[in-house]
Amino acid sequence: VIFSIARSSIKSVRWNHKQVSTTAYQLGLLLQSGISLRRSLELLIDGSKTMLYRSLYEVIQRGQPLSEALREKGFPPIALALLESGEMSGNVGEALQYIASYYERERKYQQKIVSAISYPLFLLVLMNVFFLVTILFIIPSFTRVFATMHIELPWMTKGLFVLGTSLREHPLLYVSGHVVFIGILIYAFKQSAIRYRFDRWLWQLAQHNTFLTSLYYTNILHIWSLLLDSGISIINTIDITKHIWRNSYGESCSNQVYDMLCKGHSFCESLKSSSVGNPFIWQMVAVGEESGELVAMLNHCSHYYESLLTQYIARMERLMEPILLTIMGVGIAILVISVMYPLFTSISSLGGQ
């Protein structure tokens, strides 16, 4: 069976991980309890304020399968693949629970990453606001004081005064300059050639960097194992997942894997020749193909990189706060020294007289 869901388009609903997980869990739980699909949808219609279950029920009433009804609503390709496999094997409820557990796992990972960077970002914004207020409103008062004292200022103090004066006199120039700079970066990143070169550099770096390897392969290895375990062939699995790498160079490498598999090469050979994975992954895949335990080997790899990614996220949470606090402390020290050093120098010179 050839799955065309990899090219399915989102028509009416933009699904997030929580919506997919909740919908699949509720429907799967009712189906596994022995309730028919139509009756399950009727129960969900009564307990939900959204129109999703009602529209699904109407499509089911026309005789279409659940996967087709969800495809019309833009259900994610990975979830559709698992669901179609469940429909063919007669285990729709189990397939929906697979979908729910996978997307709930992905949602928790997103929350971990957001929580890891949210507090450092807050400190970074607070630090910038503090320095901006200091340069715009506090430093100018010292400028007038030093002007009346007629003393030679150190270069650091002069630089702060010049920066504060230029920011007050030409605020639009600085704002427009930052906007133009950010716009140029966004425009350059959207250019396919530049994006491809950047993604290729990241992909090659991931061959030797454990953090990037964990970031790229934890998710995809788990998806491969889920799809293969649900009865989908390796060729269709690669075809379905080649668009979810979030790396344009990785997608082209995945296309090479697909082409080599279609020509009859082994999975390990295809991955190695296409630069997908690393020696550890290739070795585990080779062992899995030889022993017939490819799903188990992919699961082992996924869990291994998942534990590494968890450690990296925890380490990042521990390190980012002290690093940013150190930077803030250095910035405050520069401000204090720039202002207080000339004052102490002038007071000492007056005392000496």
Side-chain angles (χ1 to χ4, degrees):
V1 179
I2 301 298
F3 293 89
S4 61
I5 48 93
R7 302 174 184 85
S8 61
S9 58
I10 297 178
K11 298 180 180 179
S12 57
V13 179
R14 186 172 181 84
W15 296 81
N16 57 39
H17 288 92
K18 184 177 181 180
Q19 289 173 325
V20 175
S21 176
T22 302
T23 302
Y25 178 77
Q26 291 177 342
L27 193 54
L29 190 63
L30 292 173
L31 292 175
Q32 285 188 317
S33 300
I35 304 174
S36 67
L37 177 58
R38 293 185 181 182
R39 181 56 183 160
S40 298
L41 288 172
E42 289 175 354
L43 293 173
L44 291 173
I45 289 172
D46 294 335
S48 175
K49 297 180 180 179
T50 64
M51 297 297 295
L52 173 65
Y53 296 117
R54 184 173 299 277
S55 59
L56 291 177
Y57 181 80
E58 293 173 356
V59 176
I60 297 299
Q61 285 286 77
R62 296 198 297 266
Q64 295 185 7
L66 179 61
S67 59
E68 188 62 32
L70 286 169
R71 180 181 287 108
E72 293 180 3
K73 294 298 175 183
F75 212 51
I78 301 302
L80 285 173
L82 291 169
L83 182 57
E84 285 191 347
S85 175
E87 287 175 338
M88 287 188 297
S89 62
N91 296 316
V92 178
E94 184 179 350
L96 287 168
Q97 291 302 316
Y98 263 128
I99 295 168
S101 62
Y102 167 71
Y103 281 94
E104 180 64 20
R105 176 176 175 267
E106 291 300 300
R107 187 181 70 84
K108 289 181 178 179
Y109 260 108
Q110 284 186 348
Q111 288 180 339
K112 281 184 180 180
I113 295 175
V114 170
S115 64
I117 65 176
S118 57
Y119 183 62
L121 282 177
F122 170 75
L123 286 179
L124 191 61
V125 171
L126 185 64
M127 180 174 63
N128 281 278
V129 170
F130 169 77
F131 287 127
L132 193 62
V133 169
T134 302
I135 291 174
L136 288 177
F137 301 104
I138 299 177
I139 293 297
S141 60
F142 287 97
T143 305
R144 292 187 291 270
V145 171
F146 289 137
T148 59
M149 297 175 67
H150 304 290
I151 60 174
E152 181 66 24
L153 298 177
W155 62 269
M156 189 184 299
T157 308
K158 290 180 180 178
L160 278 177
F161 288 168
V162 170
L163 179 61
T165 303
S166 60
L167 281 174
R168 289 194 310 275
E169 294 179 353
H170 309 287
L172 292 179
L173 182 62
Y174 279 89
V175 173
S176 60
H178 282 79
V179 171
V180 169
F181 177 72
I182 294 173
I184 291 174
L185 288 180
I186 294 175
Y187 175 78
F189 197 69
K190 286 185 176 180
Q191 300 303 304
S192 57
I194 297 176
R195 176 69 180 272
Y196 185 82
R197 285 197 293 268
F198 179 74
D199 285 346
R200 181 176 59 186
W201 175 74
L202 284 179
W203 190 265
Q204 293 171 348
L205 185 62
Q207 302 289 328
H208 313 286
N209 185 282
T210 309
F211 173 71
L212 286 177
T213 301
S214 304
L215 201 60
Y216 277 131
Y217 291 103
T218 298
N219 181 38
I220 198 69
L221 290 169
H222 183 64
I223 295 174
W224 285 348
S225 65
L226 278 178
L227 294 176
L228 291 173
D229 193 36
S230 64
I232 300 174
S233 68
I234 186 62
I235 294 178
N236 287 325
T237 295
I238 298 301
D239 186 39
I240 292 165
T241 57
K242 63 185 178 183
H243 300 293
I244 64 172
W245 283 100
R246 299 186 182 93
N247 185 296
S248 58
Y249 184 77
E251 288 185 16
S252 65
C253 292
S254 186
N255 286 328
Q256 295 177 24
V257 174
Y258 177 79
D259 293 338
M260 292 192 66
L261 287 172
C262 290
K263 293 176 182 178
H265 295 276
S266 68
F267 189 33
C268 176
E269 183 182 354
S270 301
L271 292 177
K272 189 181 298 185
S273 300
S274 305
S275 299
V276 175
N278 55 27
F280 172 71
I281 295 176
W282 299 332
Q283 184 178 12
M284 295 293 283
V285 169
V287 171
E289 288 184 309
E290 292 174 3
S291 62
E293 298 291 337
L294 181 58
V295 172
M297 292 298 104
L298 291 174
N299 262 323
H300 287 322
C301 291
S302 177
H303 291 320
Y304 170 70
Y305 285 118
E306 180 182 353
S307 64
L308 290 180
L309 188 59
T310 302
Q311 293 174 15
Y312 278 115
I313 291 174
R315 190 181 306 170
M316 183 174 66
E317 288 179 329
R318 290 195 303 268
L319 291 178
M320 286 301 291
E321 181 180 352
I323 289 174
L324 287 176
L325 289 177
T326 302
I327 295 174
M328 185 181 293
V330 171
I332 293 173
I334 292 174
L335 291 175
V336 171
I337 293 173
S338 300
V339 172
M340 299 307 295
Y341 178 74
L343 286 177
F344 288 145
T345 303
S346 61
I347 291 172
S348 299
S349 60
L350 290 175
Q353 294 175 358

